[in-house]
Amino acid sequence: MSTVTIDTEMGAILASLGIQEINKGASTGAHWFNTRGPEIHSYSPVDGELIATVKSATEAEYEAAILKGQEAFKIWRQVPAPKRGEIVRQLGQKLREYKEPLGKLVSYEMGKSYQEGLGEVQEMIDICDFAVGLSRQLNGSTLHSERPVHRMYDQYHPLGIVGIISAFNFPVAVWCWNTALAWICGDVCIWKPSEKTPLTAIACQKITAEVFAENDVPEGVSTVLIGGAELGIAMSNDKRVPLVSATGSTRMGKAVGEAVGKRLGKSLLELGGNNAIIITPSADLKLVLPGVVFGAVGTSGQRCTSTRRLIIHESIYDQVRDILVNAYKQIKIGNPLDERFHMGPLIDADAVNTYLEAIAKVKAEGGNVLVEGQKLSGEGYESGCYVSPSIAEVENHYAIVQHETFAPLLYIMKYSGDVDNAIALQNNVAQGLSSSIFTNNIRESEQFLSASGSDCGIANVNIGTSGAEIGGAFGGEKETGGGRESGSDAWKVYMRRQTNTINYSSELPLAQGIKFDF
C-alpha cells in the first residue's frame, strides 16, 4: 500500500495493524492478490489527508476468490461447530488486543468520534463472545412422527459462501456481526466493504489472518475484495453465493434483493431508517434530552438508527423545542479523535452537499428551520466535511421528511390527542427500522409495543433509537429490508434447514394408507 505519512501516531497505528507496504485490494486470508483494478484513494474526512491508495479487485480476482471459498467450505463445514467457536473466541481476544489502534483507525478513516470507534470494535468483541456460546447451541427440534416406530427431527446445515456488502458508517462491526455467526455455522465469507473505508477492512482481514494461521484455517474462509459496485453486482447475481447480506441505502438494497431473488437465493437486507421518537406528556425530560441529542448528532447523523423525527405532544411541544434549541448551541464540533468534541465530520464532500440540499428542500416545502446547519470552514475544518447540525419544524407528509437524509438533520412535529395519533405519524413513512417512546404511562408504553403499535423492527421505551445490544436481533421492516442480524435466532439465516425421518421398523408404511402388493 502506498501510504502517506499523516503523523507519527497514525503511522504507528497503521504499522501496528500490519498495514505497511502493500497496495493490494483482495485477500483470501494470509494470501493477497496482485490486484490490477482501478485505484481507490482513502481520504480522511477528519483532515482531508490521503491515507492510502489501494488497487481494487477485478473480475479475475473475484472469480479466484469464489473458487477458493468453495474449496475452503468443503473443509470448514466438517470442523465441529464448537471448534469453529473456539477460533472465533480467539478472534475476539485478538480484537481486544487491537481495540485501541483499530478504534482509532475507524475514527480517522470514517470520521466518527474516537469513543464511538472504540465502541464499534467492542461490538465486534461482543458478537464474537455471543457466537462462541452459540457454537454449542445450533439446535434443531425432535418431532413426533404420525407413523409408528419412526422418529423425526430437524437440523441445520451451513449454506456455503456468504457474501457481505457493508457500508461506510459501521466499517467493521457489521462485517463481524455477519462473519462471527456465519463462521460458527460453518459458512465461509466474502466481504466487499465500502470503497470509502478500505483500510479498516484490510486491518480486519490482517487481524483475522493472524488467528486463522495459528489454527490452520484454510485460505478462503475469510476473503475481502475491495472495489466498487461491480463487485456487489457480481456477488448478487452469482448462484454460487447462496446468501448475500447487504447493508446500505434502500436503493442499493432493492437492486441486491431483486438480483438475488431472480436466482431464488437468500438475502439479508439492512437498509435505510427514518427513525422517530415519540415524547408524551408524562415523559421524563431529563431522559429525553441526552437520548434525542445523541440519537440525532451521534456519528454526525450517519447511523441507520439515527433519530430523524421527533413527535412531541402539543402540551409540551414548546418546552421540548426550546430545550433542544438551547442544547444544540452547546454542541462542539471538531476532530473526532479529540474527546472534547461531540460531533465530527460527514464522510465526504458529497454528503455535505446532500445535507445542505436537504435543508433547502425543507424550506421550499414550508418548514421552519430553527437551527440551520452550515458547512464549517477555517482552522480545524480544512477537509471541507464538517457541518453544524440542524433542527426544523415540519409536517410528516413533506417529501423531504419521508426520505432519509444521512446527516444531522432533526425534524420536529406536534401531535394532539392520545398516543395512537403519535404512533400513526411515526408509522407513516416507508422505512421501519428503529423507534422509541418516552413515557411514564404504562398504557402508552404497552400500546406502543403492541401489534397495533410501532411497525419497526426495533421499538424502545425510555431510551433513544440509536444503537442496539448484541443479544437482540437487529433489523427492520418495510423499506428497511426485513433482515435480522446479530442476536436472538438470527443465526438461522446463515444455515439451511433439513427435516429428517428415520424408520427403525421392519416395515414401510406409506402415506395416506397407500399399499403396493409386490
Side-chain angles (χ1 to χ4, degrees):
M1 176 174 304
S2 53
T3 58
V4 177
T5 302
I6 310 304
D7 55 39
T8 303
E9 182 185 19
M10 189 53 61
I13 287 171
L14 294 173
S16 73
L17 293 167
I19 302 175
Q20 292 174 301
E21 298 301 327
I22 66 168
N23 65 348
K24 305 169 185 178
S27 165
T28 53
H31 174 69
W32 290 81
F33 293 91
N34 289 313
T35 49
R36 296 178 174 83
E39 290 185 339
I40 291 177
H41 305 288
S42 177
Y43 290 94
S44 171
V46 175
D47 53 20
E49 292 286 347
L50 174 64
I51 314 173
T53 298
V54 184
K55 287 187 177 179
S56 58
T58 64
E59 183 179 343
E61 282 99 48
Y62 172 83
E63 183 64 24
I66 289 289
L67 296 177
K68 184 63 70 174
Q70 288 180 314
E71 294 173 13
F73 176 59
K74 295 174 184 177
I75 301 170
W76 185 243
R77 66 185 176 186
Q78 298 296 334
V79 177
K83 292 188 180 297
R84 297 193 296 253
E86 164 58 19
I87 295 169
V88 171
R89 184 198 67 78
Q90 293 176 37
L91 175 60
Q93 185 58 38
K94 190 72 72 173
L95 288 168
R96 286 177 169 87
E97 297 172 14
Y98 285 111
K99 181 177 179 179
E100 182 176 336
L102 183 56
K104 192 159 285 188
L105 178 58
V106 167
S107 177
Y108 187 65
E109 188 175 38
M110 182 268 152
K112 64 176 59 176
S113 74
Y114 177 44
Q115 289 304 312
E116 289 182 89
L118 292 175
E120 184 169 348
V121 180
Q122 185 61 49
E123 285 191 37
M124 302 172 76
I125 295 167
D126 292 343
I127 196 64
C128 286
D129 289 350
F130 179 87
V132 173
L134 186 62
S135 68
R136 296 179 181 271
Q137 300 179 67
L138 302 176
N139 301 319
S141 301
T142 299
L143 310 169
H144 290 279
S145 172
E146 64 185 34
R147 289 168 286 191
V149 204
H150 282 61
R151 181 168 67 87
M152 292 178 64
Y153 66 90
D154 62 13
Q155 62 178 335
Y156 292 85
H157 295 301
L159 290 170
I161 297 175
V162 173
I164 302 167
I165 302 171
S166 64
F168 74 86
N169 60 328
F170 279 84
V172 295
V174 171
W175 166 76
C176 206
W177 283 8
N178 283 274
T179 52
L181 297 191
W183 285 334
I184 63 102
C185 288
D187 298 315
V188 302
C189 297
I190 297 180
W191 178 24
K192 193 210 90 64
S194 169
E195 55 268 42
K196 297 180 180 181
T197 51
L199 288 188
T200 49
I202 291 171
C204 288
Q205 182 72 348
K206 286 184 167 291
I207 293 169
T208 302
E210 285 186 37
V211 175
F212 280 16
E214 293 167 0
N215 290 273
D216 296 320
V217 175
E219 289 276 326
V221 173
S222 177
T223 292
V224 61
L225 297 173
I226 294 170
E230 67 280 354
L231 292 177
I233 293 170
M235 196 181 293
S236 300
N237 286 283
D238 196 335
K239 291 183 178 181
R240 297 168 295 179
V241 184
L243 171 64
V244 176
S245 174
T247 303
S249 69
T250 296
R251 178 186 55 80
M252 179 276 291
K254 285 181 177 180
V256 171
E258 181 180 4
V260 175
K262 281 182 178 179
R263 61 179 174 84
L264 298 181
K266 299 172 68 176
S267 58
L268 192 170
L269 302 176
E270 297 288 358
L271 311 176
N274 199 343
N275 316 297
I277 294 178
I278 295 171
I279 302 177
T280 72
S282 69
D284 185 342
L285 297 186
K286 294 192 303 295
L287 302 181
V288 167
L289 185 61
V292 171
V293 174
F294 176 72
V297 307
T299 323
S300 301
Q302 296 174 115
R303 291 182 176 219
C304 52
T305 55
S306 290
T307 304
R308 309 290 178 199
R309 297 175 296 141
L310 208 55
I311 303 169
I312 310 165
H313 192 270
E314 60 182 1
S315 65
I316 57 170
Y317 179 84
D318 290 350
Q319 181 184 6
V320 174
R321 176 198 61 201
D322 293 345
I323 290 173
L324 278 174
V325 169
N326 184 61
Y328 267 49
K329 294 176 183 177
Q330 302 171 53
I331 292 173
K332 297 178 181 178
I333 304 161
N335 188 322
L337 294 171
D338 187 333
E339 295 182 26
R340 294 176 301 166
F341 296 113
H342 304 114
M343 184 175 137
L346 294 179
I347 185 65
D348 55 26
D350 288 341
V352 173
N353 292 334
T354 298
Y355 173 52
L356 298 178
E357 288 168 4
I359 296 171
K361 289 177 182 178
V362 170
K363 293 178 181 179
E365 290 197 64
N368 178 27
V369 179
L370 299 171
V371 179
E372 183 167 354
Q374 306 284 341
K375 179 179 177 179
L376 302 179
S377 60
E379 185 178 355
Y381 304 132
E382 291 86 356
S383 70
C385 297
Y386 289 87
V387 298
S388 57
S390 299
I391 302 175
E393 293 179 306
V394 299
E395 297 293 335
N396 197 61
H397 61 80
Y398 289 179
I400 187 62
V401 176
Q402 293 286 312
H403 172 78
E404 179 190 37
T405 299
F406 222 54
L409 175 52
L410 176 65
Y411 302 119
I412 63 174
M413 61 194 76
K414 295 178 184 178
Y415 81 94
S416 58
D418 63 24
V419 74
D420 286 334
N421 295 329
I423 293 171
L425 281 173
Q426 178 208 276
N427 292 346
N428 191 24
V429 291
Q431 309 83 0
L433 179 52
S434 187
S435 58
S436 178
I437 187 171
F438 279 83
T439 180
N440 282 330
N441 184 320
I442 191 170
R443 290 179 176 174
E444 290 179 332
S445 64
E446 290 300 315
Q447 176 62 16
F448 178 73
L449 301 174
S450 72
S452 58
S454 170
D455 64 1
C456 296
I458 299 170
N460 299 326
V461 177
N462 291 332
I463 62 171
T465 62
S466 188
E469 291 190 32
I470 287 299
F474 179 89
E477 300 301 318
K478 302 190 294 187
E479 288 194 357
T480 302
R484 292 298 184 275
E485 292 174 322
S486 189
S488 187
D489 63 350
W491 61 271
K492 291 181 179 179
V493 75
Y494 302 96
M495 306 196 82
R496 59 180 177 88
R497 187 168 181 164
Q498 182 183 80
T499 300
N500 308 117
T501 305
I502 300 100
N503 175 10
Y504 58 98
S505 74
S506 58
E507 299 179 353
L508 182 61
L510 301 177
Q512 289 81 45
I514 295 173
K515 294 183 179 180
F516 285 96
D517 294 322
F518 294 106

